[in-house]
Amino acid sequence: MQELTVPLNHVLFVSTLLFTIGMLGLMIRRNIIFILMSLEVMLNASALAFIAAGAHWGQPDGQVIFLLILSVAAAEVAVGLGLVLQIQKRFKTLDMDNANRMRG
């Protein structure tokens, strides 16, 4: 049975595309839920790049960095959910522009 390998350039292109989509979502959308989702997409894109590079060079460093990125993403989700709940409770909106205008 033949082994199926994907070229490093293709994986890095997909990773760059995902990171760009996340960056656009971060800059364009003002809803805090979409901002957090865009950050998650960007973290996953960087994790994909590290995994691909580690597999290409045969080193486990990419997988170690992936575990670090995974733990950072989990912490970001936990803190982000707490912020979303507090912003919704206090300002009755998840739009960051409206919440920013309602200050004192």
Side-chain angles (χ1 to χ4, degrees):
M1 196 166 180
Q2 272 189 339
E3 183 179 310
L4 179 64
T5 59
V6 179
L8 180 64
N9 292 340
H10 294 169
V11 177
L12 290 180
F13 176 74
V14 170
S15 176
T16 304
L17 185 66
L18 281 174
F19 194 86
T20 304
I21 290 170
M23 183 66 75
L24 286 174
L26 190 67
M27 291 189 299
I28 293 172
R29 300 301 294 250
R30 298 308 306 163
N31 189 328
I32 193 164
I33 301 280
F34 284 106
I35 290 172
L36 292 174
M37 285 173 38
S38 297
L39 285 173
E40 286 292 325
V41 169
M42 291 169 64
L43 282 171
N44 287 330
S46 63
L48 177 64
F50 277 114
I51 289 289
H56 179 72
W57 287 301
Q59 298 291 322
D61 298 343
Q63 294 174 1
V64 171
I65 297 296
F66 172 74
L67 289 175
L68 178 69
I69 291 172
L70 199 62
S71 62
V72 167
E76 183 251 336
V77 167
V79 171
L81 182 59
L83 286 173
V84 166
L85 291 174
Q86 286 298 318
I87 289 171
Q88 174 64 30
K89 184 178 175 183
R90 181 172 293 175
F91 298 117
K92 305 290 190 256
T93 183
L94 290 179
D95 187 17
M96 291 309 295
D97 288 334
N98 289 341
N100 200 15
R101 282 187 216 126
M102 291 182 183
R103 276 207 257 168

